[in-house]
Amino acid sequence: ANASGQVGLMSFTTNVVAYIGTTKVTPVIGKITGLPVGMTVSTPVTTSNEQILTFSIADNSTLGSTSSNSGTITIPVTSPVSTNLKLSWR
């Protein structure tokens, strides 16, 4: 980030993977929450039974403020088990 707290345009990906025993299965992802202003997430793309999420940050975003410069994004997996994955940002 620059001196004003603005970040540059960027994106990153994460893969959500699930297994039943030793068999990889395609997980089902629910509504993702906790995205800060300036960050978006793509619709999951399925490849090799994995759900690939691409997070993008808009150019000159601050993503937070002096009182809130970090947070947690919740990625709910609804199948084959129900769980919440957490992705922290700062």
Side-chain angles (χ1 to χ4, degrees):
N2 63 22
S4 299
Q6 297 169 311
V7 296
L9 176 68
M10 69 168 293
S11 65
F12 60 94
T13 61
T14 190
N15 295 22
V16 179
V17 182
Y19 285 85
I20 295 178
T22 59
T23 303
K24 187 193 287 188
V25 297
T26 303
V28 177
I29 298 174
K31 181 175 173 39
I32 297 170
T33 59
L35 294 170
V37 173
M39 184 184 289
T40 58
V41 63
S42 67
T43 300
V45 174
T46 305
T47 303
S48 300
N49 287 356
E50 298 180 10
Q51 296 283 26
I52 301 169
L53 299 171
T54 300
F55 293 85
S56 298
I57 299 173
D59 199 23
N60 295 319
S61 295
T62 56
L63 300 181
S65 64
T66 55
S67 62
S68 174
N69 59 6
S70 63
T72 302
I73 298 165
T74 301
I75 305 168
V77 177
T78 60
S79 177
V81 296
S82 181
T83 189
N84 287 315
L85 304 176
K86 302 289 185 173
L87 181 64
S88 296
W89 64 270
R90 182 171 185 81

